Amino acid sequence: MASRTLRTLPFMEVQMANTYLLLYSGGNMPANEAEQKKVMDAWNSWFAKHGEAITDGGNPFTAKAKTIGSDGKVTDGAFAAATGYTLIKADSLDNAVEIAKGCPVLIGGAKVAVYETFDAMAAMAGSKQ
């Protein structure tokens, strides 16, 4: 998988990591044991189909969250309605979206946002040269 370069400022280029965050929002847990088995089988199939592309299978989030503002103030709850995540590798955002389209979290009615990430540490190291 070839990495890409993103020019963030006129003097800085950032190596794209080809890592994408699938951020889940909403959805429902299976209502009974049969539905739970169906969903677990779908997750196992999805993981098997995409193998090494899935770098972190992720986890669902609980409702417990805190938000820290730029002023340091801490409030109860999250600033976004995220319910879980998965990290994947893909050649492009479009390819990541194709992988995400088959994500079993969609079975329960959730939505999936696909975010491209970049290697911030490499960018910082590159700016010091």
Side-chain angles (χ1 to χ4, degrees), residues 8-70:
T8 57
L9 297 171
F11 58 88
M12 185 185 299
E13 289 184 354
V14 176
Q15 262 326 97
M16 299 306 289
N18 294 328
T19 299
Y20 297 85
L21 169 68
L22 308 185
L23 187 64
Y24 309 140
S25 178
N28 298 307
M29 296 299 286
N32 57 49
E33 202 170 305
E35 286 182 24
Q36 184 177 15
K37 182 180 180 337
K38 178 183 170 185
V39 170
M40 288 308 297
D41 289 347
W43 277 104
N44 289 333
S45 294
W46 188 66
F47 287 143
K49 179 179 180 180
H50 297 293
E52 292 181 13
I54 298 172
T55 60
D56 179 347
N59 280 298
F61 301 146
T62 69
K64 294 181 180 181
K66 301 258 184 196
T67 297
I68 305 163
S70 60

Side-chain angles (χ1 to χ4, degrees), residues 59-91:
N59 280 298
F61 301 146
T62 69
K64 294 181 180 181
K66 301 258 184 196
T67 297
I68 305 163
S70 60
D71 60 358
K73 182 180 177 188
V74 178
T75 56
D76 288 335
F79 64 87
T83 56
Y85 77 97
T86 297
L87 290 174
I88 65 171
K89 293 274 188 190
D91 289 329

